[in-house]
Amino acid sequence: QLQASGGGLVQAGGSLRLSCATSGRTFSSITMGWFRQAPGKEREFVAAISWTGSSTNYADSVKGRFSISRDNAVNTVYLQMGSLKPEDTAVYYCAGVPPGLPLRNTSYIYWGQGTQVTVSS
């Protein structure tokens, strides 16, 4: 199971750190990703990290502003978000997929409930 947290209301230019806690023995061996869905829009890829943490991938819209990381010792993946913009407003979801697949353009199979991020202008 995946549980995302850390969302909230922040002013433009601010920062937030999302966390995704997982349960189960397989976390340290799966690729983890963050996705988001804004009202009236399709869910979109944000970032992903390999199970070792050695590889990451970011959507162009967040590159340089967001950073994904993981701590396999505590079964948690993080999304550090900085220089937030109103267009970052969305429900953010964490997801997982077995290793060996591309970090993006992959059908993630484990999904958690989302956490709302609202960026005010």
Side-chain angles (χ1 to χ4, degrees):
Q1 291 186 347
L2 309 179
Q3 179 68 48
S5 62
L9 174 64
V10 64
Q11 289 188 333
S15 300
L16 277 176
R17 188 177 80 158
L18 305 184
S19 299
C20 177
T22 71
S23 59
R25 296 174 294 176
T26 62
F27 171 79
S28 62
S29 62
I30 64 173
T31 295
M32 293 296 297
W34 286 96
F35 293 77
R36 66 187 182 186
Q37 187 167 19
K41 295 187 177 181
E42 293 186 353
R43 186 172 60 197
E44 65 175 356
F45 171 84
V46 176
I49 187 167
S50 63
W51 70 275
T52 63
S54 61
S55 296
T56 58
N57 196 294
Y58 296 92
D60 288 345
S61 60
V62 306
K63 201 171 292 183
R65 299 189 298 121
F66 291 11
S67 177
I68 188 171
S69 62
R70 67 190 298 161
D71 186 342
N72 290 343
V74 293
N75 294 343
T76 302
V77 64
Y78 305 98
L79 185 67
Q80 180 67 48
M81 306 186 295
S83 301
L84 284 162
K85 305 175 182 180
E87 50 263 45
D88 294 318
T89 295
V91 177
Y92 283 72
Y93 300 89
C94 58
V97 67
L101 298 171
L103 297 186
R104 63 190 300 177
N105 298 321
T106 290
S107 296
Y108 280 69
I109 60 174
Y110 310 112
W111 289 89
Q113 65 182 56
T115 184
Q116 176 71 47
V117 172
T118 302
V119 184
S120 63
S121 57

